[in-house]
Amino acid sequence: MNTKPVILVVDDESQIRRLLELTLQGSGFDVRLASTGNEGVIMAASERPELIILDLGLPDMDGREVLKKIREWSSVPVLILSVRNGETDIVSCLDAGADDYLVKPFRTGELLARARTALRHRLTKEEKEVFTNRILSVDLSARTVKRSNELIKLTATEYALLALFVRNAGRVLTHKFILEQIWGPAHAEEAQYTRVYVGSLRKKIEKDPANPKIILTESGIGYRLSVED
Amino acid sequence: MTNEQTRPDPDALLNLLQKEEEKEKKGKLKIFFGMCAGVGKTYDMLKDAHAAKSKGVDVVVGYIETHKRPETEALLSGLSIFPRKTIQYKGTTLEEMDLDAILARKPELVLVDELAHTNAPESRHTKRYQDVRELLDNGINVFTTLNVQHLESRADTVAQITGSIVHETVPDSVFAAADEVEVIDISPEELLKRLEEGKVYTPERSKRAIENFFREGNLTALREMSLRLTAERVDRQLRDYMAKQRISGPWKSGQRLVVGISPSLRSISVIRWARRLAYTMDASWLVVCVESSSALNQNEKDQLSKNIKLAKELGAETLTTSDDDVAGALIRVARRQNATQILVGKPIRGLFSQSSHLIDELLAKSGDLDIYIVGQEGDTERAGSRRFFPQIQSILPQYAIASVIVLVVALACFPVTRFLGYQTVSFIILLTVSLMPLRFGPGPVLVAAGLGALAWDFLFIPPIFTFSVGRIEDVLMLGMYFTVAIVTGVLSARVRAREKAVRQREEKTSALFTLTRDLSSAHSQDEVIKAAVANIKKFFNADVVVVLGDADGEIASSPHTASSMKPDAKEYGVAAWSYWNEKHAGKYTDTLPSAEATYFPMSGPRYPLGVIGVKLTQKLTSDQENLLENFIAQISSAVERELLSEISTKSIIVAESERLYKTLFNSVSHELRTPVATIMGASENILHDLSHGSLPTNEEYAKEIHLAAERLNRLVANLLDMTRLESGMIQPKLDWHDVRDVINSALKGLDKELSGHAVTVNVQDDMPLVKFDYGLIEQAITNLVHNATVHSPEGTEIEVNATHTERECIIVVSDSGPGLSNEELQKVFEKFYRAPTAKTGGTGLGLPIAKGFVEAHHGTISAKNRLTGGAEFSIRIPVDPEPGKPKQEHI
């Protein structure tokens, strides 16, 4: 029985496919390759991968279309590959159910880290209730937030925001997603809310709020709770 | 959330009621839903049928396909089966469900297998689901089966996954309208086992099926898809339930409120009331002022503009329209704006009060519109104080009222003649008559004057009660009285006419002024058209369509997107005629007058620029026509202006890109080739070493390749940024961001380059959020910092400081290098300029890109030398007032 996790790579560039294949195989993954969106959709069903790496610029159909089709039946994690300056596309994919993204050219180390995070989320389906790193420890079931082992007080909104990050640790969260989750769909466009509250949250939990290490900013896309220590 | 807000949406409720009402009479549909053939839908359906039968339900089998599966066939026994209808078609015999026989027999429940089936040709319906619909419509309950791949919305994806195209589909609405959906779910493994055991198909067919459609991966996907669909259905049902049970959820009422106001203090309370109502109804509201032909005094004008301002402040849209028929105008606006309610202030009832009229008329004409009449607080004004005489609408009552007034005055004077003397009475009557032109036209005034004269003669001039005049001074007096009355009447009529003309001219001038102002502030053809449409709409109260000519002089194939109506093919033909012939056409013209709108061509220098269609509701007066012509002329010249400027911009862009192309070739080809050469050389060495069986001698090659690739990557990024800038495609996506954040991101991206430098960041403590495009400003800062690392020796400090003033946010990047020479200070932001002392590896693009990105924010970038040595680059971004912050809370 093959226990290696299966990763499906959908990219039309054979060089990128080859690079991803080598990199992922070298790290113990079983890699399947598709070079068109159509093939990607078919293989997403037939190969039952545990992760899909999907390029947005495909010749036969828009990467977003591929994502939409796959999401009709599957909640397999999808990692989007996009070129620089494609923030709008990335955000719309994330909002349409993609799990993470990488910008080309990417570093292979980064790729593997993202792939592992996505897979971890796949494995631990239930949302995380606890988060700890060197500075911060959060326990959602006990509703406690400790910084360097000292309890800190957060406002209701700050806590809700932190809890959202903890439940989605390591994943990129778009501004829209955060706004909808915390302030409701009516406020989905008011991005300044997240800026203000992330700012005040950082002041309370980060060692150096000017140089945040826990809640990271993803340029033009949103925020991510770092899972690296 | 308050209770008002959780009110169920009336439309949604109505829908729900209709759905339920239809269902009362109709039969119920239950769908046995599965991921594919062989999961046991028919089997389960038959079991359910038996259960129903045992409860005494009259069940018959309309059509069942057992596929010769023994378990299924066994279940058929005991049920009454309708014989199938046979249809002869091209020599073959086809069997179908006998719809008519079932309808005639009218059982309680019919079993109909395979909902997606396509009927034999020449059947009543082409699809079986249509048969089922007919059964339901006749009050017969139906059990049926359906596979996920047959749902129209999913057929495409299924075809893609499985590679077999689905021809037989059922609209999703049928699925959505089912009263009950039961998912027949078995695991793919179990299904495959059943296939292999021959329980689904014959062994040979099974083998083929497993190789094609029934691959395990496919089955998992199909299963997941069918489960999700059912989940979505449950979700929708929940929403329906919430709507019915008034469980709070996001209601959108789609209501719109029209509020009529007047130039009166009392309207303020009406406006406030309307706001509360609109808020609780979650409706949008439009405040309408109807100006009548009578002029307003200064106080009223001021009050009116105050009222409108208040409405705007409270979030209303506002609109001013002119019409003597206030009620008609309000209803017209309400209909046009799709409003559902009209709200007006409660009138002060008075003898001649016009507003009481208004309410009656509103009620009479409003039809299905709801009318709200609001009590008005703070009434400090006396009713009708403005009007000395009530305003009278039509002309006939004017004659009557004028005559009555004169006669009443004359009669009133009669008893007091003794004290006043009859001459004085003539002055009183004269006074009355001379006041009349304020309210009445010249006709009624003259009649009143004549009547007054006669009454005076008859009642007052001795001998009284005769028309004879005894004394010569009385004759004179009567003559003078007539002359004065007539002169007054004529003069005041003339004054009124002039006043009206002046007002119209004023309106016309202000209309033209507004148009010209809007047009000249428009910066593109689209904006010009938008302004034109808005202005014509506003002043002529008509829908507008604009069709432009394209670059080849042909008329565009679709109207401009700013148009407020969409012409059909016929209307388009009229527009095209007007375009090609450069003449008016359409309604109220001699050409194609059956059209809905009137079309005016916009003439251009070589070929027509386009055509504007205006959907007028009535023929224009010559003055209005004149104004519209003026409008069209103004718009034409604005469109032409933009066209020419677009052409010249294009030629500038062409020239610029040529220059870029040349410089690129001369200076960048070198920069591109260097890293490529390194990569090729180093990788070749590695390959060579490998092919000779030896391991690469050292890792230096790999490092060189990596460095070269990074350099190449930076260059490509710069070139792409430059191309974006040059092509004018940079449109900053402005949003509120934290300046600290963007500086951090920039520095993080430069980790490696900064390893040899000490970096300090200082951001002013009270730095507010600033509106900018995150990516662009990050890149600008990155380029400045990168520039600093290249131009200052290792081990020195680089500072990034951010401060703000009320007007701008200033980000300064400074280094401790040698600073800039005079030549460098001048040229540092020029494209491809490289400082003579610069290290290799730069492109001369970093700073110009930073400049371009900052300028795209209407900001500035500057370079100077620090007093302490080193160069200093400053970015200044203009600051908007900060946005509404989320409500502060306490811990």
Side-chain angles (χ1 to χ4, degrees):
Chain A
M1 179 109 185
N2 189 1
T3 51
K4 284 183 184 175
V6 177
I7 297 185
L8 172 65
V9 173
V10 189
D11 197 311
D12 59 319
E13 290 289 343
S14 60
Q15 276 201 305
I16 300 275
R17 277 203 308 275
R18 186 83 193 123
L19 174 68
L20 288 173
E21 188 182 14
L22 287 173
T23 312
L24 294 168
Q25 273 175 352
S27 297
F29 295 107
D30 192 356
V31 183
R32 306 290 151 84
L33 302 172
S35 58
T36 63
N38 201 20
E39 214 181 312
V41 174
I42 294 171
M43 290 177 75
S46 60
E47 304 294 328
R48 282 184 294 161
E50 272 150 83
L51 173 70
I52 297 177
I53 299 178
L54 173 66
D55 182 40
L56 285 190
L58 294 169
D60 60 331
M61 61 202 274
D62 193 344
R64 255 174 302 182
E65 190 63 23
V66 177
L67 175 68
K68 208 183 105 205
K69 294 219 173 226
I70 291 173
R71 280 286 175 264
E72 276 177 19
W73 81 84
S74 164
S75 45
V76 55
V78 175
L79 187 61
I80 297 291
L81 285 185
S82 162
V83 290
R84 208 162 76 99
N85 300 328
E87 287 95 348
T88 329
D89 287 343
I90 294 172
V91 169
S92 76
C93 280
L94 290 172
D95 285 334
D99 293 73
D100 211 333
Y101 73 98
L102 269 179
V103 173
K104 282 186 196 171
F106 48 83
R107 289 169 198 281
T108 45
E110 187 77 16
L111 170 82
L112 289 170
R114 295 290 168 83
R116 289 199 184 103
T117 304
L119 282 169
R120 220 177 8 248
H121 269 280
R122 168 80 163 163
L123 294 175
T124 57
K125 266 247 166 105
E126 71 280 16
E127 288 177 327
K128 283 203 165 177
E129 292 282 303
V130 189
F131 173 84
T132 41
N133 68 9
R134 269 181 310 178
I135 314 165
L136 191 72
S137 90
V138 184
D139 186 340
L140 296 184
S141 52
R143 285 186 77 89
T144 53
V145 182
K146 284 184 194 163
R147 195 188 133 190
S148 309
N149 277 327
E150 258 176 62
L151 273 177
I152 54 173
K153 282 187 174 177
L154 299 178
T155 65
T157 310
E158 284 164 357
Y159 180 78
L161 191 60
L162 183 60
L164 185 67
F165 278 121
V166 167
R167 289 199 193 96
N168 296 283
R171 299 176 67 186
V172 58
L173 306 182
T174 64
H175 293 300
K176 192 174 157 214
F177 177 79
I178 297 172
L179 286 163
E180 280 183 353
Q181 293 292 314
I182 307 283
W183 284 277
H187 296 280
E189 300 304 321
E190 295 177 64
Q192 71 271 17
Y193 285 24
T194 56
R195 312 292 195 288
V196 170
Y197 275 100
V198 167
S200 62
L201 189 55
R202 277 176 178 163
K203 273 190 196 134
K204 292 186 183 176
I205 63 170
E206 297 274 2
K207 222 174 193 171
D208 175 10
N211 189 11
K213 300 276 183 221
I214 301 175
I215 299 177
L216 309 178
T217 303
E218 298 280 324
S219 314
I221 290 165
Y223 298 98
R224 182 198 299 275
L225 182 70
S226 170
V227 284
E228 288 155 42
D229 250 336
Chain B
M1 203 179 271
T2 63
N3 279 333
E4 287 94 327
Q5 276 170 312
T6 56
R7 172 185 51 85
D9 175 1
D11 284 341
L13 268 186
L14 194 67
N15 266 335
L16 205 69
L17 286 178
Q18 273 172 352
K19 270 193 224 166
E20 289 199 337
E21 225 168 75
E22 271 173 33
K23 279 185 188 165
E24 280 298 297
K25 295 169 275 175
K26 285 173 68 170
K28 293 201 186 302
L29 176 65
K30 177 170 180 178
I31 297 179
F32 293 80
F33 188 60
M35 59 177 170
C36 60
V39 295
K41 296 179 301 295
T42 308
Y43 180 83
D44 277 27
M45 177 167 80
L46 285 170
K47 277 215 306 215
D48 268 29
H50 277 288
K53 197 183 171 206
S54 67
K55 282 186 202 149
V57 177
D58 174 20
V59 188
V60 297
V61 174
Y63 189 100
I64 290 280
E65 196 59 72
T66 59
H67 296 285
K68 308 232 157 42
R69 293 169 198 161
E71 303 164 0
T72 316
E73 281 189 337
L75 273 174
L76 266 180
S77 62
L79 294 173
S80 63
I81 302 172
F82 258 96
R84 295 179 186 180
K85 195 160 85 180
T86 52
I87 295 173
Q88 297 297 328
Y89 184 74
K90 291 192 178 162
T92 50
T93 309
L94 300 166
E95 290 190 336
E96 290 295 347
M97 177 169 79
D98 194 343
L99 180 62
D100 289 317
I102 299 173
L103 286 172
R105 153 90 162 69
K106 215 165 187 253
E108 268 177 87
L109 174 64
V110 180
L111 310 188
V112 185
D113 214 359
E114 292 180 5
L115 186 62
H117 172 79
T118 303
N119 287 338
E122 288 159 32
S123 303
R124 170 141 33 132
H125 301 297
T126 46
K127 295 284 188 178
R128 181 169 291 159
Y129 70 79
Q130 294 165 317
D131 293 342
V132 167
R133 224 180 242 164
E134 193 167 337
L135 290 172
L136 294 170
D137 285 342
N138 282 284
I140 300 169
N141 301 325
V142 178
F143 281 3
T144 187
T145 63
L146 180 68
N147 289 331
V148 65
Q149 80 253 36
H150 295 301
L151 264 186
E152 207 163 276
S153 66
R154 295 297 187 268
D156 189 28
T157 313
V158 173
Q160 229 172 345
I161 295 173
T162 60
S164 57
I165 294 165
V166 183
H167 293 292
E168 307 193 316
T169 60
V170 174
D172 288 53
S173 58
V174 175
F175 182 72
D179 298 270
E180 197 181 334
V181 172
E182 187 176 324
V183 189
I184 313 303
D185 182 40
I186 65 172
S187 70
E189 295 81 22
E190 201 179 329
L191 177 62
L192 286 173
K193 211 174 101 201
R194 288 185 56 180
L195 264 171
E196 277 160 16
E197 287 168 358
K199 285 186 178 166
V200 180
Y201 296 129
T202 54
E204 201 226 339
R205 222 183 133 194
S206 288
K207 201 171 156 244
R208 249 187 306 135
I210 292 172
E211 277 164 13
N212 296 309
F213 195 89
F214 287 83
R215 279 189 306 237
E216 199 174 339
N218 291 349
L219 292 179
T220 315
L222 289 172
R223 182 187 187 196
E224 194 59 32
M225 196 183 278
S226 58
L227 291 176
R228 265 166 206 249
L229 269 164
T230 324
E232 277 170 28
R233 221 185 94 85
V234 171
D235 216 42
R236 217 171 12 250
Q237 280 172 340
L238 181 71
R239 278 206 301 276
D240 276 359
Y241 177 77
M242 281 165 65
K244 209 163 69 176
Q245 302 295 323
R246 296 175 168 240
I247 296 166
S248 76
W251 304 116
K252 274 222 168 54
S253 68
Q255 305 255 40
R256 200 159 156 80
L257 197 62
V258 159
V259 185
I261 61 161
S262 66
S264 126
L265 247 175
R266 291 181 314 233
S267 287
I268 290 181
S269 64
V270 177
I271 292 168
R272 294 195 187 284
W273 214 98
R275 172 167 189 275
R276 284 197 295 274
L277 186 65
Y279 184 78
T280 34
M281 282 169 50
D282 191 17
S284 61
W285 55 305
L286 174 72
V287 166
V288 181
C289 171
V290 184
E291 283 185 328
S292 61
S293 57
S294 62
L296 300 177
N297 64 35
Q298 194 53 45
N299 276 345
E300 288 171 326
K301 276 185 197 157
D302 291 349
Q303 188 58 49
L304 184 61
S305 60
K306 269 186 212 157
N307 292 353
I308 290 176
K309 197 165 151 246
L310 174 72
K312 277 188 184 152
E313 280 169 6
L314 293 177
E317 290 168 62
T318 59
L319 185 149
T320 307
T321 178
S322 57
D323 200 321
D324 277 331
D325 174 8
V326 180
L330 283 177
I331 287 166
R332 192 181 62 231
V333 170
R335 296 235 185 272
R336 197 165 299 163
Q337 301 274 345
N338 281 329
T340 42
Q341 271 103 348
I342 297 179
L343 187 140
V344 289
K346 194 173 182 178
I348 309 299
R349 291 259 173 193
L351 187 57
F352 293 109
S353 174
Q354 201 194 347
S355 339
S356 51
H357 247 49
L358 170 69
I359 303 296
D360 294 341
E361 274 184 62
L362 269 180
L363 291 175
K365 293 181 187 169
S366 54
D368 57 340
L369 290 166
D370 290 339
I371 309 286
Y372 285 87
I373 299 156
V374 180
Q376 315 192 56
E377 317 136 19
D379 180 17
T380 53
E381 221 179 2
R382 257 183 307 121
S385 68
R386 178 164 72 88
R387 307 206 151 89
F388 191 77
F389 289 101
Q391 186 182 20
I392 285 93
Q393 294 285 334
S394 68
I395 198 77
L396 261 179
Q398 284 202 5
Y399 279 98
I401 293 171
S403 312
V404 169
I405 290 172
V406 167
L407 291 178
V408 167
V409 170
L411 283 172
C413 289
F414 186 67
V416 293
T417 331
R418 265 184 296 158
F419 316 110
L420 295 176
Y422 69 89
Q423 269 108 343
T424 320
V425 172
S426 80
F427 282 108
I428 294 174
I429 296 177
L430 187 56
L431 178 69
T432 315
V433 172
S434 55
L435 281 174
M436 282 184 172
L438 288 177
R439 278 300 138 215
F440 302 114
V445 173
L446 285 181
V447 169
L451 261 177
L454 290 177
W456 183 51
D457 184 3
F458 188 74
L459 292 174
F460 300 99
I461 301 179
I464 56 171
F465 300 126
T466 68
F467 285 111
S468 60
V469 181
R471 291 160 51 179
I472 187 76
E473 25 322 11
D474 291 342
V475 176
L476 255 175
M477 196 80 173
L478 197 60
M480 283 192 305
Y481 167 86
F482 249 121
T483 321
V484 172
I486 288 167
V487 168
T488 318
V490 170
L491 275 186
S492 56
R494 224 181 257 174
V495 168
R496 278 182 54 174
R498 193 159 303 160
E499 187 196 9
K500 197 171 158 194
V502 167
R503 205 165 60 234
Q504 276 176 355
R505 204 159 42 230
E506 209 179 86
E507 274 169 14
K508 206 165 124 178
T509 322
S510 97
L512 266 176
F513 172 74
T514 322
L515 175 75
T516 333
R517 191 195 55 202
D518 290 359
L519 287 179
S520 57
S521 62
H523 290 303
S524 67
Q525 202 170 20
D526 283 349
E527 282 179 37
V528 164
I529 304 293
K530 228 184 249 169
V533 170
N535 273 282
I536 297 180
K537 239 187 124 159
K538 190 159 109 201
F539 288 106
F540 294 94
N541 216 345
D543 275 328
V544 182
V545 59
V546 179
V547 188
L548 292 176
D550 62 17
D552 306 324
E554 298 284 336
I555 184 165
S557 56
S558 62
H560 192 272
T561 47
S563 307
S564 62
M565 63 175 185
K566 219 176 145 60
D568 56 21
K570 187 187 144 211
E571 287 292 304
Y572 221 88
V574 184
W577 189 92
S578 166
Y579 178 84
W580 288 118
N581 294 284
E582 300 201 41
K583 280 187 189 140
H584 299 182
K587 203 173 182 185
Y588 305 125
T589 70
D590 299 331
T591 316
L592 307 165
S594 64
E596 277 177 31
T598 320
Y599 293 88
F600 301 87
M602 291 191 282
S603 313
R606 272 184 297 161
Y607 40 76
L609 295 166
V611 53
I612 298 182
V614 185
K615 198 170 173 184
L616 298 164
T617 43
Q618 58 188 45
K619 194 166 163 42
L620 297 177
T621 64
S622 66
D623 257 1
Q624 287 171 316
E625 211 175 303
N626 204 320
L627 180 64
L628 187 52
E629 295 278 345
N630 267 323
F631 263 50
I632 306 282
Q634 291 286 345
I635 295 164
S636 306
S637 66
V639 170
E640 192 182 335
R641 178 194 77 204
E642 286 308 321
L643 201 67
L644 293 177
S645 97
E646 264 165 41
I647 291 171
S648 72
T649 322
K650 261 184 210 153
S651 58
I652 291 173
I653 290 175
V654 169
E656 268 298 288
S657 19
E658 252 169 48
R659 202 172 66 82
L660 179 72
Y661 177 74
K662 271 186 203 148
T663 338
L664 227 160
F665 244 78
N666 296 340
S667 125
V668 182
S669 60
H670 164 78
E671 284 301 324
L672 277 168
R673 291 223 161 114
T674 314
V676 171
T678 315
I679 293 173
M680 284 174 70
S683 53
E684 205 179 309
N685 287 348
I686 294 176
L687 286 173
H688 179 265
D689 287 354
L690 285 172
S691 67
H692 285 73
S694 58
L695 289 167
T697 41
N698 56 35
E699 58 180 270
E700 291 304 315
Y701 291 142
K703 276 188 182 160
E704 280 307 317
I705 291 175
H706 193 71
L707 274 181
E710 280 188 338
R711 183 171 163 186
L712 203 52
N713 184 31
R714 198 163 51 239
L715 179 67
V716 169
N718 274 341
L719 284 174
L720 289 174
D721 283 342
M722 207 61 214
T723 320
R724 270 172 85 199
L725 269 174
E726 295 283 325
S727 63
M729 292 298 284
I730 295 273
Q731 276 177 342
K733 233 175 61 207
L734 298 183
D735 206 340
W736 299 98
H737 295 287
D738 191 337
V739 175
R740 282 180 197 85
D741 246 15
V742 75
I743 294 176
N744 265 319
S745 300
L747 293 180
K748 221 161 66 187
L750 288 169
D751 249 6
K752 218 179 240 173
E753 288 82 351
L754 283 169
S755 56
H757 290 83
V759 185
T760 52
V761 179
N762 282 306
V763 179
Q764 196 175 325
D765 272 342
D766 60 342
M767 178 64 86
L769 292 181
V770 181
K771 208 169 190 183
F772 55 80
D773 182 309
Y774 197 92
L776 295 186
I777 294 299
E778 180 186 348
Q779 194 59 49
I781 298 173
T782 303
N783 288 5
L784 291 187
V785 176
H786 184 253
N787 184 63
T789 61
V790 175
H791 291 281
S792 63
E794 286 209 357
T796 56
E797 193 181 32
I798 293 174
E799 277 181 51
V800 184
N801 294 319
T803 52
H804 73 96
T805 67
E806 239 168 67
R807 297 228 178 127
E808 51 190 14
C809 164
I810 307 155
I811 302 169
V812 181
V813 177
S814 42
D815 62 47
S816 312
L820 301 158
S821 71
N822 278 341
E823 190 204 325
E824 286 168 343
L825 275 175
Q826 274 178 15
K827 295 195 169 171
V828 77
F829 290 112
E830 277 180 23
K831 256 170 283 173
F832 301 110
Y833 175 79
R834 303 269 318 274
T837 55
K839 283 191 262 183
T840 55
T843 54
L845 283 173
L847 294 181
I849 287 170
K851 181 174 192 254
F853 283 180
V854 171
E855 283 174 356
H857 288 77
H858 306 293
T860 57
I861 193 166
S862 59
K864 66 173 189 184
N865 283 315
R866 299 165 87 186
L867 293 175
T868 53
E872 178 180 302
F873 291 85
S874 311
I875 294 173
R876 287 159 190 274
I877 310 165
V879 174
D880 275 1
E882 222 183 325
K885 277 192 189 174
K887 221 168 40 189
Q888 279 305 320
E889 12 157 54
H890 301 285
I891 298 170

